[in-house]
């Protein structure tokens, strides 16, 4: 007989959101907790980064996530992980390859040995290449039809 492990509250992530929570009420408590912590530490880059990640991944509020990632970058401009998270957000929400790449480049420069940063950059490059290939495939039938 196989044992099954069920996670309550939906998908989790690096920080365990959802692993032991019961839904929207608990998410609201987490958000409120971050806001209270940031009132007493408004320039704490780790809090700002983690709250941005919470907003992006749990709340799906990419506008506020961008704000908090930006604040984290201002608080700690050499933090490769937050630069990488911001580049990923820019890519996913705006598909702005040049802007996202500039943040990924800064992240790799700041943290050349950080596997999270390097993996995120590799994933971005893979997706950007796929987007370019898809764009070429969609453009080529129109060119062929013109002739």
């Amino acid at each position: 007989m196989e044992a099954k492990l069920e996670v309550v509250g939906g998908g989790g992530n690096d920080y365990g959101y959802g692993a032991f929570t019961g839904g929207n009420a608990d998410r609201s408590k987490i958000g409120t907790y971050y806001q209270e912590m940031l009132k007493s530490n408004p320039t704490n880059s780790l809090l700002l980064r983690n709250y941005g990640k919470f907003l992006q991944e749990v709340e799906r509020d990419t506008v506020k996530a961008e704000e908090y990632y930006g604040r984290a970058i201002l608080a700690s401009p050499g933090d490769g992980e937050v630069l990488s998270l911001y580049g990923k957000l820019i890519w996913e929400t705006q598909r702005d390859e040049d802007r996202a790449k500039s943040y990924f480049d800064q992240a790799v420069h700041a943290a050349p040995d950080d596997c999270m940063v390097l993996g995120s950059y590799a994933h971005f490059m893979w997706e950007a290449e796929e987007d370019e290939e898809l764009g070429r495939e969609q453009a080529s039938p129109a060119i062929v039809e013109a002739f």
Side-chain angles (χ1 to χ4, degrees), residues 65-116:
E66 185 172 356
E67 173 190 342
Y68 281 90
Y69 286 155
R71 288 176 57 187
I73 291 168
L74 289 174
S76 182
D79 183 339
E81 188 171 338
V82 75
L83 290 163
S84 178
L85 289 167
Y86 192 71
K88 179 182 175 190
L89 178 72
I90 295 301
W91 174 246
E92 290 177 351
T93 60
Q94 300 172 21
R95 282 308 209 232
D96 185 337
E97 184 176 350
D98 292 336
R99 186 170 173 218
K101 185 178 182 316
S102 74
Y103 282 101
F104 279 113
D105 287 342
Q106 291 175 60
V108 170
H109 182 73
D113 297 323
D114 186 322
C115 63
M116 180 277 195

Side-chain angles (χ1 to χ4, degrees), residues 16-31:
Y17 310 132
F20 51 85
T21 62
N24 290 338
D26 288 333
R27 284 194 331 219
S28 175
K29 288 179 187 176
I30 294 169

